Structure formats: C-alpha cells, structure tokens
Amino acid sequence: MAPTDDTGQTAPQHAPPIGTPAPGRPPTEAAAGATGARMPRWLPRAMVLALALVAVFQLGSWAFHQLIGLLLNILIAFFLALAIEPAVSWMAARGLRRGFATLLVFLGLLIVAAGFVTLLGSMLAGQIITMVEGFPGYLDSVISWVNHTFHTELRRVDVQEGVLRSDWLRKYVQNSAAGVLDVSAQVLGGLFQLLTIALFSFYFAADGPRLRRALCSVLPPARQAEVLRAWEIAVDKTGGYIYSRGLMALISGIAHYILFQALGVPYAPVLGVWVGLVSQFIPTIGTYLAGALPMLIAFTVAPWYALWVLVFVVVYQQFENYMLQPKLTSKTVDIHPAVAFGSVIAGTALLGAVGALIAIPAVATLQAFLGAYVKRYAVTDDPRVHGHRRRGPAVDGSLTRAWRRWVRQPEAEASGAGEAGVGTTADGSS
C-alpha cells in the first residue's frame, strides 16, 4: 500500500537521485568482494598434482624396500659376471660360443666348490665323531685338574647328571626343536638366493655384447664411447680385485698350513685352504669363521693347541689388514690403501656384507673412470712438495728476525754500557 499524509491523500513518490543504486540490488563493493573470494583455478590442480607426487613417492619407496633383496642379488651377479668376463672372452675369442664358454666357466667353479665342500664335510664329520668319543676323557682331565687345584671332590657322574637335569639344557632342546623349521627355511632361502645370483650372472656374462649393444642403442655416439670405456675399466678392476683376493688367500693358506703341520693338527692342507678362502671371500665374519674350525680341530689334539691357533690367527689378521692387504690392493686395483680401507667401511655401512665385498672394485672403477676426465698439471720443482722446508728470507719471516734481534740485544746493550763507562772515566781523569 502507498503511504498517505494527514489528509488521507496519497503522498507523492520522489525518484531516487541519479547514481543511487536501486533498492534491493546488492552494492558494487559486495559484488567485488564476492568475486575476489573465489578459489583460484590453479589451486585444485596443484593440490591434485602434489597428492599424486606424494602417492608416487610412497609407492616407489614401498616397491624399493620390497625389491631390495632382488636388487642386491642382481648387483652381486653383475660383479660376478665382470669377474669371469676375461675367461669367457678368452674362450670366445678362440672359437667357442659365448654361452658355451660361460657354461664351462660355471661348471669349473661348481666342481671346485663341490669338491671342497665334500672334502671339508667329511673331515668335519670325522672330527666331530672323534670329539664325541673322546669327550669323557677330556671331561675327566678337566675334573681332575679342578679337584687338584681347588681341593674339591667332583665326579664325572655328578657333573653329567647336573647337566642333564638342568633347566637351561631342557630349554635349549625345546628351542632347538622349535627352530628346526626356521633353519630349514633359511637354508632353502639361501639356496634360492644362490640360484638367482648364478642365473643372473650367467645371463650377464653370456649376453654381455647384447647387453652393451642394448644399452648403447639409447645413447648418442659420444656417450656410447664413455659407457664402453667404463665397462672395460670395471672388468679390469674387478678382475684385479679377484686376483688380489686369490693371492692373499694363497698366502694365508700357506702360512696357516705351516702352523697346522708344525702343531700336528690333522687335515692340515684342507684346513689351510679353508682359512685362505673363507677369510678372503666372505667379508666381515669370514675371519671368525675361518679361525673357528681349526681351533675346534686343534682342541681334539691338545687344548693348548687351540690357544696357539687363536693367537696366530689374530696376529696374522693384523699383519694382513695393515701390511699385506693394502699393498696388494693398491697394486692390483691401483687405489691408495687408505681409500681401500675407507671404501670397505663405507660399503659395509651402506650394504652390509655385499657392500664390503664390492666396495673396492666399485671405488677403483669410479676412480679410474673419473681420472680420464680430470685435467692434471706439471708440479713445480719446489722442496715443499717433497716435505722439505724452504730456507730463505721468505720462509724465515718476522719471527726469525725477531728472534735474532732479541739475541743480539743484550750484546748491543753490554757493548754500549762499556763504551759509556770508558768515556766517563776519561772525562773524570781529565
């Protein structure tokens, strides 16, 4: 209804001033604020892209952790293929097919390993039987020594009954029975891992030219030459590393064989080969495994012989670590002994036993490859290069000059005082 005045007549309606917004329409500032509050168009896409990147990263990390065992096996197989590459290439150059040459190399390694394991197993079984049969005599000698030393009255029957009725033996038997399945699973897993490594090594060695051709086909010619050079350097350095390890195994085996023969330990040749191979080709724990078996067998001859074997193993290991291994490694793979030692520590920290095994050839390959691209200059003929100090004013410096002034200062003061005294006496007498 239209508004009315006091007389009941309809009040006239005035038009709004020009420029005044009509009633009911939103102001322009509100419309502008509403438009500015909208989400930018690029923000949803950026959020989706960020979430996708996070998902891909998580998926890649999960896949890497799941496949790390397979990747380590492939890495070991690759270095094993590099190690047998010279032998395969030598036979292939004389007319044999590369696959057949690789098969011959693997058969030779398998025959040597099987013969060594068979001989070692028979020796170990015989020594275990000897120890079991002679255990009562060892126990009687130990009991008599304890009774004579500590004035006790122990008997073997009491000791045997105490051991058989003890709780720790019962728990040990229960845990051993429960762990049979775990040991079997670990043995099967180890055999499968060895089969995987052997299979990949065979493919890498037999199809080496095809693998290099496939790798070079996706690279420009300049990069192809660099890849082939790196491959050749890796073959040389890995072969040199295997050669140095074999030479150290030979030296270690001969040294320990002499000790075992001198002590009269049975199966001295086999034990020497065992110590040489296990200590060199099983990293980290190889030394302990190599020394445990000779100590066990020496104990069957005389308990003190086991102590002599332990002392010799420890002393020889120190000699090998600090003198023999750095010299041979630096000669065969051409790296500094300190670099070789540090690379083994770094490889062990990164990849464990696998890293310790392949650290030296990997570092030697990298060093040789980078050395081809590092520009070197002639060294100036300066005595300081050879560790000698340079003599002259440039080296003497202000400290030497200050020392000389300090030494000569008392002499100058003494001579000045003498001259002053002589002048006074002359004046007084005159």
Side-chain angles (χ1 to χ4, degrees):
M1 174 181 289
T4 58
D5 55 5
D6 296 339
T7 59
Q9 296 180 355
T10 303
Q13 298 182 359
H14 301 280
I18 299 175
T20 303
R25 298 178 61 184
T28 307
E29 293 80 7
T35 304
R38 291 180 180 178
M39 181 182 297
R41 295 181 179 180
W42 57 267
L43 186 58
R45 298 178 182 177
M47 295 176 62
V48 171
L49 181 59
L51 293 176
L53 291 177
V54 171
V56 169
F57 176 78
Q58 294 293 336
L59 181 61
S61 177
W62 173 81
F64 176 78
H65 285 87
Q66 294 296 323
L67 298 176
I68 189 171
L70 178 61
L71 295 177
L72 289 179
N73 292 337
I74 293 176
L75 185 62
I76 297 174
F78 179 72
F79 274 92
L80 181 59
L82 292 179
I84 65 175
E85 176 72 20
V88 174
S89 299
W90 182 83
M91 287 188 289
R94 279 154 181 79
L96 290 178
R97 296 183 59 183
R98 193 173 181 86
F100 184 68
T102 306
L103 181 61
L104 289 180
V105 174
F106 269 88
L107 285 178
L109 294 176
L110 182 61
I111 291 173
V112 172
F116 176 72
V117 171
T118 302
L119 184 60
L120 187 66
S122 61
M123 177 199 68
L124 187 60
Q127 292 301 317
I128 290 176
I129 293 175
T130 303
M131 289 186 61
V132 171
E133 292 177 350
F135 182 75
Y138 295 130
L139 185 59
D140 290 337
S141 62
V142 172
I143 290 175
S144 63
W145 179 81
V146 171
N147 291 333
H148 178 74
T149 304
F150 299 99
H151 305 288
T152 58
E153 296 180 356
L154 295 176
R155 295 183 305 171
R156 186 177 58 163
V157 177
D158 298 335
V159 174
Q160 290 177 348
E161 290 182 355
V163 171
L164 293 175
R165 294 178 181 179
S166 60
D167 294 336
W168 69 267
L169 181 61
R170 178 173 52 83
K171 294 179 180 179
Y172 177 77
V173 172
Q174 292 176 356
N175 295 332
S176 300
V180 170
L181 295 178
D182 296 337
V183 173
S184 301
Q186 292 179 1
V187 170
L188 292 177
L191 292 177
F192 180 76
Q193 185 176 4
L194 289 177
L195 181 61
T196 303
I197 294 174
L199 185 62
F200 277 105
S201 299
F202 180 83
Y203 285 139
F204 287 151
D207 293 339
R210 186 183 304 175
L211 180 60
R212 288 190 289 269
R213 189 179 298 110
L215 184 60
C216 292
S217 63
V218 296
L219 298 174
R223 299 298 180 184
Q224 293 178 13
E226 295 177 1
V227 170
L228 295 176
R229 181 189 301 177
W231 195 292
E232 184 179 2
I233 291 174
V235 171
D236 294 338
K237 296 304 180 180
T238 305
Y241 175 72
I242 296 298
Y243 169 76
S244 65
R245 285 292 175 178
L247 187 58
M248 285 191 294
L250 179 62
I251 297 174
S252 176
I254 292 175
H256 288 85
Y257 165 74
I258 295 174
L259 173 68
F260 301 150
Q261 195 70 26
L263 295 178
V265 178
Y267 303 101
V270 181
L271 288 177
V273 175
W274 161 265
V275 173
L277 292 179
V278 174
S279 62
Q280 300 303 323
F281 291 98
I282 298 181
T284 308
I285 62 173
T287 303
Y288 307 103
L289 292 178
L293 182 60
M295 288 177 56
L296 183 64
I297 297 178
F299 185 82
T300 61
V301 179
W304 289 107
Y305 286 178
L307 182 60
W308 281 109
V309 172
L310 176 61
V311 172
F312 183 82
V313 168
V314 172
V315 172
Y316 180 82
Q317 188 64 32
Q318 301 305 315
F319 164 74
E320 182 182 276
N321 290 338
Y322 293 101
M323 297 186 65
L324 184 61
Q325 179 177 351
K327 295 295 183 181
L328 291 179
T329 302
S330 62
K331 297 295 183 181
T332 54
V333 294
D334 195 20
I335 61 176
H336 194 273
V339 177
F341 183 69
S343 63
V344 171
I345 296 177
T348 305
L350 293 175
L351 298 177
V354 178
L357 185 63
I358 67 176
I360 293 180
V363 171
T365 302
L366 181 61
Q367 176 179 340
F369 183 71
L370 294 178
Y373 298 95
V374 176
K375 187 177 181 180
R376 298 182 180 273
Y377 301 92
V379 181
T380 59
D381 190 9
D382 195 314
R384 289 172 291 184
V385 176
H386 305 285
H388 305 295
R389 294 189 61 187
R390 182 179 177 182
R391 299 299 180 182
V395 178
D396 290 341
S398 59
L399 184 62
T400 305
R401 291 194 295 269
W403 169 260
R404 291 175 179 174
R405 287 197 301 268
W406 183 78
V407 171
R408 294 175 180 176
Q409 185 176 2
E411 299 177 356
E413 292 178 355
S415 61
E419 293 176 356
V422 170
T424 306
T425 306
D427 294 338
S429 61
S430 59

